Each structure stands twice: as C-alpha cells, then as structure tokens.
C-alpha cells in the first residue's frame, strides 16, 4: 500500500510533529509513505533523509523536471524513491488548519490539485486527518473546499466549533467525525535538564493578526514579571524567522539575552516542553505538547482552535485575550502554576490526558479499518 502525505512538512514544527506522528503509526505496517512535493520544506533530498518516498509535481512548470520519470520502469523509480500520483492508494491530509475563510479559496484547490485534476486513481481513498476547519461564510471558499469534500472518504474534525462550521456550510454528513489532535500520542522520552531555563516562551507571528502592539505588550509584561521572580527563561521557535524576530525584539526591548532555541527534530521540541516548569505559548502544537504531557501552560489565541483545546483540558482560565485581560490575573496564574509545581498539575490532569489519548487511538483505529489495515 502507498500512502501520500499532504499538508505536513518540516518548516512549521507542528506540521513536522504531525508528520512524525503519522510515521510512527505506520512504521509497524508494510506501508510506503510518500510525501507530496508541495510539503513545507520537504524536497526530494529532504524526503529521502526523512525515510520517505517523494511524490513529484504532476502539473505546472515544476512538473517538467520529472516528466521523463513517468516512463521509467517502476523498479528504477523505486530505486530513486519516486512515487507517481496514479500509484497512490490512500491520501492523508494533515494540514492542521488550512481550510476556511482565513486562508482563501485557492488553498484547497492548490493542495488537492492532483486529486481534482484526476491524476490519482479513482479508487484512491482520501482522508483528512484531525484539523481545525472553517468558518465558510465566504461563498467562494465554501464552494472551493466542497470540491475537496466530494473527493474525501473521511473528514476528521478536530473540535466542536469546526464541526459546527462544517455542518452549517455542508450539512451533517456521516463522514464528518470528531477527533482530537493526534500528536498527543507521540512519546517525547524522559525529561531532560536543559541549561537554557525552566520557563519556555513560544511566540507566534500570527498573533499580529489580532493586535501586534497588544501582543508584544503582553509578552513584555510577562517577561518583566518573570525577571523580577528570578526565573530563567528561553524562547523555543516553532516556525522560522518571523517567530524568531519576536524573541529578538523582546531581548532588545528589555536589554536581555534570553536564549533563542531552534531544534529541527520536533520530538526534541516536545521533550523540551515536557521538561519545562511552565509554558507561555502562542503556537497550537506547542500548547498540545504541554497539555498532553501535563505541563502547565498559559496561552494566547488567534483562532477558535485554542479556545476549544483549553476547554477540552479544563484550562479555560489560562487562555488570555490579549485585547482584554487583567495582568494581575496573569501574574496570579503564573504564581499558582509555579508554586503548585508540575508534578501536582500532571497528577490533576492525568485522567483528562488519558481520555484525549484514547480518542486519538480510536481515530487511528477507524482510519486503519477504513483502509483495511489492522490496528495495532
């Protein structure tokens, strides 16, 4: 069986963690995983480094380089780790949050262009892994994504708000199934004692869509408070230069030299989060990695996916609206989390953490049954 992976890459560490989660699920089966050419930061060489086959472009200018490959014998193509669209049996889309008014009408058409253009087999099964979706108030966006839905066998919807958006736009459909983010099953290994600090700040440039000035002000206030508490702090980057620039700007503004940490391996990032005493986070998968490992987290939000996740873990009080908050409450939250300690917090959250993991296991069981793989 050949499975094509869409929407997962290595530039965004949340997308990279989802990629690793999928690899872990199928490494015990006789499955060939092939990553799509348009996955963030994954070209032919990187795919090979990741232990994946490569699915080259079949349309447009970028397809020219690979046109001759189609006429080579299959054994030769396989020796070069190349898979063709028509050889794919299953398509798994792990976009996370890429379909809805915020992203525009072209996003789903570009991501599924090989499917919509009939380049894949008619018998290939298309599945959307758990992701946030919607809203679909824009008629062009709604019609565009509907073309993808028409080709999809299962659509795993990550939260109740996304499900409401889907039902309002497309009606209640049996293939719409609620399931949580599946990276909660990735084991990050034992905690480590990292020298950079005990409190981790994870910035996100997408918060600027809410209010750049208010977001930077919030981070500055938090960092000053932690400085006055003599806490060692470092920044953990989840996506490139724009997130890193936020950390640099805070260091400049406060005349500090807090470490700015980048890791290629998303499991190492998850381990860093597991090993922290407290996370101040604006990245969704940073938040999932904290809550699913019993690490106290205070989060900001730029979309509905944060609110629902905090609700699922009964942590709504630690969700900060940067345009309307009392910093006295934020200071109180930080103090309570640190004085209580991570072990106590983890113990309180144990049942919730296990419940969410069981939901993820059920999702994989349904998915594998649908594509005729025995769940292990």
């Amino acid at each position: 069986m050949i499975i094509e992976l869409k929407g997962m890459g290595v530039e965004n560490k949340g997308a990279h963690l989802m990629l690793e989660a999928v690899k872990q699920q199928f490494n015990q089966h006789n499955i060939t995983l092939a990553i799509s050419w348009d996955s963030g930061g994954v070209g032919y060489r990187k795919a090979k480094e990741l232990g994946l086959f490569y699915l080259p472009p079949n349309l447009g200018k970028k397809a020219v380089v690979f046109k001759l490959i189609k006429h080579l014998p299959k054994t030769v193509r396989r020796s070069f780790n190349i898979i063709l669209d028509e050889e794919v049996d299953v398509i798994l889309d792990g976009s996370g949050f890429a379909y809805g008014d915020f992203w525009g009408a072209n996003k789903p058409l570009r991501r599924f262009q090989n499917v919509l253009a009939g380049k894949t087999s008619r018998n290939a099964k298309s599945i959307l892994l758990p992701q946030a979706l919607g809203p679909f108030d824009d008629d062009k966006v709604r019609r565009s994504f509907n073309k993808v839905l028409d080709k999809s066998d299962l659509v795993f919807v990550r939260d109740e708000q996304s499900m409401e958006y889907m039902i309002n736009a497309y009606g209640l459909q049996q293939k719409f199934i609620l399931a949580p983010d599946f990276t909660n099953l990735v084991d990050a290994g034992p905690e480590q004692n990292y020298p950079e600090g005990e409190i981790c700040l994870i910035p996100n440039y997408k918060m600027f869509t809410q209010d750049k000035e208010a977001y930077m002000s919030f981070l500055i206030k938090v960092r000053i408070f932690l400085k006055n508490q003599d806490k060692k702090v470092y920044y953990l980057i989840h996506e490139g230069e724009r997130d890193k620039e936020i950390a640099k700007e805070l260091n400049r503004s406060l005349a500090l030299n807090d470490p700015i940490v980048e890791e290629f391996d998303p499991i190492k990032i998850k381990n860093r989060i597991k090993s922290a005493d407290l996370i101040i986070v604006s990245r969704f998968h940073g938040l999932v990695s904290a809550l699913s490992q019993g690490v106290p987290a205070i989060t900001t939000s730029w979309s509905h996916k944060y609110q629902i996740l905090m609700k699922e873990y009964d942590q709504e009080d630690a969700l900060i609206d940067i345009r309307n908050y009392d910093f006295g409450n934020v200071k109180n939250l930080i103090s309570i989390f640190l004085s209580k300690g991570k072990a106590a917090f983890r113990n309180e959250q144990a049942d919730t953490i296990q419940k969410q993991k069981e939901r993820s296991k059920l999702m994989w069981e349904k998915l594998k049954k649908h594509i005729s793989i025995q769940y292990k």
Side-chain angles (χ1 to χ4, degrees), residues 24-248:
Q24 288 183 9
Q25 282 297 319
F26 291 105
N27 64 10
Q28 56 194 317
H29 303 285
N30 185 25
I31 299 292
T32 297
L33 297 177
I35 194 159
S36 177
W37 65 272
D38 59 347
S39 301
V42 183
Y44 172 74
R45 289 186 181 85
K46 182 59 69 177
K48 205 167 184 180
E49 288 175 16
L50 293 169
L52 301 169
F53 281 71
Y54 184 69
L55 202 133
N58 206 346
L59 297 162
K61 294 179 180 178
K62 292 185 178 181
V64 175
V65 179
F66 291 93
K67 270 189 175 179
L68 292 175
I69 292 175
K70 185 172 183 178
H71 302 288
L72 294 173
K74 182 189 288 188
T75 53
V76 176
R77 293 198 306 270
R78 290 293 191 276
S79 70
F80 285 97
N81 279 39
I82 296 291
I83 297 292
L84 301 181
D85 283 312
E86 54 264 38
E87 296 173 319
V88 170
D89 300 299
V90 178
I91 298 157
L92 295 183
D93 177 82
S95 292
F97 182 38
Y99 310 123
D101 294 343
F102 181 86
W103 305 100
N106 289 329
K107 191 75 173 271
L109 300 181
R110 287 198 306 269
R111 186 145 292 172
F112 281 84
Q113 60 179 308
N114 59 338
V115 178
L116 299 176
K119 299 294 183 180
T120 54
S121 166
R122 288 184 180 181
N123 296 322
K125 295 178 180 179
S126 184
I127 298 170
L128 272 66
L129 292 171
Q131 51 193 284
L133 298 161
F136 300 98
D137 296 326
D138 186 305
D139 186 57
K140 289 183 179 179
V141 174
R142 185 167 58 252
R143 285 188 280 111
S144 170
F145 189 56
N146 194 43
K147 293 178 182 178
V148 173
L149 292 181
D150 284 344
K151 299 286 186 178
S152 300
D153 294 74
L154 296 175
V155 179
F156 288 104
V157 184
R158 201 162 61 191
D159 58 78
E160 293 175 355
Q161 181 64 71
S162 293
M163 183 64 84
E164 184 177 327
Y165 289 146
M166 291 289 285
I167 293 171
N168 288 342
Y170 306 108
L172 181 61
Q173 298 187 35
Q174 190 174 1
K175 63 184 174 183
F176 298 169
I177 303 169
L178 268 175
D181 180 84
F182 54 93
T183 63
N184 59 3
L185 295 179
V186 176
D187 185 359
E191 291 187 37
Q192 305 293 322
N193 184 21
Y194 292 102
E196 290 86 0
E198 60 220 350
I199 296 177
C200 178
L201 269 63
I202 304 176
N204 186 352
Y205 73 89
K206 285 194 176 77
M207 284 300 304
F208 293 171
T209 64
Q210 299 298 298
D211 189 322
K212 181 177 180 179
E213 185 177 342
Y215 181 53
M216 294 302 291
S217 173
F218 168 76
L219 293 177
I220 287 170
K221 289 177 184 176
V222 167
R223 186 61 193 96
I224 290 173
F225 177 71
L226 293 173
K227 181 175 181 289
N228 293 337
Q229 302 294 309
D230 293 322
K231 297 297 180 182
K232 289 177 67 179
V233 174
Y234 74 95
Y235 298 96
L236 186 58
I237 304 304
H238 266 59
E239 186 179 339
E241 289 301 318
R242 287 180 287 187
D243 282 9
K244 192 196 297 186
E245 186 54 39
I246 294 173
K248 289 180 178 178

Side-chain angles (χ1 to χ4, degrees), residues 280-298:
I280 313 292
V281 58
S282 302
R283 281 280 173 189
F284 179 78
H285 280 98
L287 181 59
V288 175
S289 290
L291 295 177
S292 65
Q293 297 182 109
V295 179
I298 296 172

Side-chain angles (χ1 to χ4, degrees), residues 270-339:
K270 186 168 182 178
N271 183 270
R272 280 185 171 274
I273 292 170
K274 182 180 185 179
S275 304
D277 291 336
L278 173 67
I279 304 291
I280 313 292
V281 58
S282 302
R283 281 280 173 189
F284 179 78
H285 280 98
L287 181 59
V288 175
S289 290
L291 295 177
S292 65
Q293 297 182 109
V295 179
I298 296 172
T299 187
T300 62
S301 167
W302 64 274
S303 89
H304 66 273
K305 58 184 180 177
Y306 294 85
Q307 285 91 328
I308 303 300
L309 182 64
M310 294 297 273
K311 182 180 178 181
E312 288 176 344
Y313 282 86
D314 195 26
Q315 292 295 304
E316 295 104 314
D317 289 346
L319 174 68
I320 308 301
D321 180 351
I322 58 166
R323 293 169 295 189
N324 181 28
Y325 68 96
D326 179 349
F327 192 68
N329 291 337
V330 176
K331 291 191 291 184
N332 191 45
L333 265 175
I334 293 172
S335 298
I336 289 172
F337 280 144
L338 292 177
S339 62

